[in-house]
Amino acid sequence: MTTRTADDARALVLDALRAVAPGPELDALGPHDDLRDTLGLDSLDFLAVVRRVSDGTGIRIDEDDYGRLSDLDGWVALLTRPS
Amino acid sequence: MPSLGADMAEGTVVEWLIGPGDEVRRGDVVATVDTEKALIDVECFESGTVDRLLVDVGTKVPVGAPLALIATAAPGGPPPAGPRPSGAPAPAEPPPPAAPPQPAEPPPPTAPPQPAAPPGTGPPRPRTAPHPAGRSPLTRRRAAAAGLDLAALPGTGPDGEVTRADVDQALRSGPPHRPRISPYARRLARERGLDPTALAAGTTGPLRARDVVAAPAAPVAPAPPPPRPRSVTAALMARSKREIPHYYLSTEIELGAALERLRRHNLAIPVADRVLPAAQLLHAVVRAAGAVPELNGHWIEDRFVPGDGVHLGVAVALRGGGLSVPVLHHADALDLDALMAALLGAAGRARSGRLRSSEADGATLTVTNLGELGVDAVTGVIFPPQVALVGFGAVRPRAWPEGDALVVRPVVTATLSGDHRATDGATGARLLHEIDRQLHRPEDTA
């Protein structure tokens, strides 16, 4: 089992976010900024991000995980946890 | 020109994706039309061979005007090269010979292949001369075989008609005005941010999908469409408030069991098929509309005309402001998963500014869900000529009486705006109660 580095995970999530909500807000995004508020994501957008990251990592992200995915750090923590 | 919205009177063709000689199938996207509200990908409603394009890029024409002439294939036989016999039904029939638009001026014979002029750069206005495209089937066949757009050739015949000699002259003097590009290849190229015309310039034959796939991908995605003017929404909403005597109802719906069913449903299916609570609410509305048909339809000329199925308009907020309302046709034939897929597709196209013609018009009931914006409830404005609009606010944990106790449950406020000319409050109340009932029927949701 390989473990993804935090940098890899962050880049992956940012790529997914960029595909869904490109713009200056994304470039200025901090690790603890609320993603939905800062980027104006609705549930369709958020699902699109989840799908992209699930596809890109092979990690199945369930709705029960959503509570931890409100900011970039939460995503990085989920994607770098030992599998 | 199909009607692409209840308020649409005319549209401008901004791009043709087909040319004379192309085979088209019913449902193919054949053109892009600017309705001043949105760019819409117009789907063909007939299968056959494109005989002629009747409207130039950049030309504004009224709803109902023919856009192209399509020769339909006879059953079991090859498609005729010319127009169908006049007795046959013909949705894409040419206009009466009075004053059809004349095509853009032809390019100089030595010019390289030119793409159709982009909108806004001053394409020639239509003149009032008869259409010069060849009337002879032979001429048309010859031009089509060579990939020439007859309408773009200089005509030396009577009334500027393009003759066989003109076609031969064009063949001798240079490359065709319009590169041949298969509709699929054009679509692929657009999805990949490539210019199909530029790609076609580098090939000798027609541009095919495989040529597009082989081409290096464009470095950046195409820019998002510019924001649409407010004027169309403004006119429609002003008309609604001027003409429709609204009544308003609201009720709170407890969603604990429904959301739990949805959660279990989503655990059992791939992430790609995941169903959102928003789709679950839409699904309940669709079923309720089937049970209360008095609110599903149109108010036309002082009477209610019920819908032939539930065609659900879904208000979608656009990134950067504005509103688009794609229509999920025959939503009553979709199960929850299919409704979710339809919502995903339509919302995605609405946000990219490229709705399909089939989803731009014809809603019999509209839903607006402002829960994402964090508001508790919405008292909406009906989209004429519909007679009702259902609104949802945010799903929030709230105190909910259960037996003698108060418990915390996820709750949503559902509202109904009704047209008092068509129905009374009692009918509206039935719809809201039916939505509630649908969300509490385990076998009907996920």
Side-chain angles (χ1 to χ4, degrees):
Chain A
M1 288 294 162
T2 57
T3 314
R4 199 169 285 102
T5 71
D7 283 346
D8 289 347
R10 192 173 295 107
L12 224 146
V13 175
L14 284 174
D15 276 352
L17 289 169
R18 192 167 292 115
V20 174
E25 295 85 1
L26 182 62
D27 300 331
L29 189 70
H32 300 295
D33 290 340
D34 185 280
L35 294 177
R36 290 188 186 229
D37 288 350
T38 311
L39 303 178
L41 303 182
D42 67 9
S43 58
L44 283 169
D45 296 327
F46 195 77
L47 178 57
V49 173
V50 167
R51 288 170 63 166
R52 279 178 181 272
V53 174
S54 281
D55 283 351
T57 60
I59 295 176
R60 182 185 168 98
I61 299 166
D62 277 311
E63 289 171 302
D64 295 346
D65 298 319
Y66 284 9
R68 309 159 55 194
L69 301 178
S70 60
D71 62 19
L72 205 47
D73 263 15
W75 277 96
V76 171
L78 179 85
L79 298 181
T80 54
R81 73 182 169 190
S83 44
Chain B
M1 177 63 64
S3 171
L4 304 169
D7 47 323
M8 173 177 166
E10 53 191 14
T12 305
V13 175
V14 296
E15 187 185 8
W16 275 112
L17 307 185
I18 55 168
D22 284 348
E23 298 287 330
V24 292
R25 280 160 304 138
R26 185 183 163 86
D28 279 353
V29 173
V30 295
T32 304
V33 164
D34 191 335
T35 68
E36 297 189 351
K37 185 162 61 173
L39 288 180
I40 307 252
D41 283 334
V42 171
E43 296 155 300
C44 195
F45 33 76
E46 205 168 305
S47 300
T49 306
V50 178
D51 187 67
R52 207 196 313 161
L53 305 180
L54 302 172
V55 174
D56 297 323
V57 163
T59 305
K60 184 177 279 190
V61 294
V63 166
L67 293 181
L69 182 60
I70 293 168
T72 51
R84 80 181 71 222
S86 58
E93 200 68 12
Q102 186 150 0
E105 63 192 33
T110 52
Q114 287 288 325
T121 54
R125 303 305 304 168
R127 283 164 274 166
T128 49
H131 200 290
R135 279 192 279 269
S136 144
L138 178 64
T139 306
R140 279 198 296 271
R141 261 201 302 276
R142 197 172 172 77
L148 287 173
D149 181 355
L150 263 189
L153 296 181
T156 59
D159 295 334
E161 183 180 345
V162 177
T163 64
R164 182 177 165 185
D166 296 329
V167 173
D168 291 343
Q169 172 62 29
L171 283 177
R172 280 193 301 273
S173 60
H177 162 65
R178 182 191 172 85
R180 300 203 70 195
I181 303 172
S182 81
Y184 182 53
R186 196 178 286 268
R187 204 175 318 161
L188 263 186
R190 208 166 60 186
E191 282 169 9
R192 288 163 187 247
L194 300 169
D195 176 3
T197 310
L199 288 179
T203 63
T204 46
L207 182 71
R208 304 283 183 204
R210 60 176 174 272
D211 304 321
V212 176
V213 173
V220 288
R228 311 301 303 179
R230 287 296 306 168
S231 57
V232 176
T233 303
L236 196 62
M237 293 298 103
R239 177 185 153 199
S240 176
K241 282 289 188 173
R242 202 165 51 236
E243 296 179 359
I244 301 181
H246 288 63
Y247 66 84
Y248 305 102
L249 309 173
S250 83
T251 192
E252 296 198 324
I253 300 178
E254 187 273 323
L255 291 176
L259 290 176
E260 178 54 25
R261 277 197 307 278
L262 192 60
R263 191 183 80 89
R264 283 201 305 271
H265 177 73
N266 283 336
L267 278 174
I269 59 175
V271 175
D273 299 334
R274 186 165 293 170
V275 178
L276 291 172
Q280 195 179 28
L281 294 176
L282 293 183
H283 192 239
V285 172
V286 168
R287 285 170 171 255
V292 189
E294 300 94 317
L295 288 168
N296 181 63
H298 297 147
W299 184 260
I300 297 171
E301 291 173 358
D302 294 328
R303 70 185 196 92
F304 175 69
V305 181
D308 61 338
V310 180
H311 311 304
L312 196 68
V314 181
V316 175
L318 302 181
R319 201 167 283 290
L323 184 66
S324 178
V325 190
V327 182
L328 312 182
H329 279 272
H330 293 288
D332 45 345
L334 304 177
D335 66 12
L336 181 61
D337 292 318
L339 188 67
M340 176 65 200
L343 173 67
L344 261 187
R349 286 187 291 274
R351 291 199 164 151
S352 65
R354 297 300 281 262
L355 279 186
R356 292 182 185 161
S357 50
S358 58
E359 61 198 7
D361 193 21
T364 54
L365 177 68
T366 294
V367 175
T368 182
N369 185 340
L370 297 192
E372 306 276 1
L373 303 180
V375 297
D376 289 330
V378 50
T379 307
V381 181
I382 298 169
F383 286 80
Q386 295 162 51
V387 300
L389 178 127
V390 175
F392 291 105
V395 179
R396 293 191 199 285
R398 288 188 205 161
W400 190 259
E402 200 169 271
D404 289 337
L406 273 182
V407 294
V408 175
R409 291 273 186 267
V411 174
V412 70
T413 301
T415 58
L416 178 86
S417 305
D419 182 339
H420 218 328
R421 298 172 302 180
T423 62
D424 303 318
T427 309
R430 271 171 49 219
L431 186 83
L432 286 183
H433 290 150
E434 190 61 31
I435 293 171
D436 187 312
R437 202 173 72 82
Q438 294 295 340
L439 288 164
H440 286 89
R441 289 178 60 176
E443 72 275 20
D444 277 355
T445 325

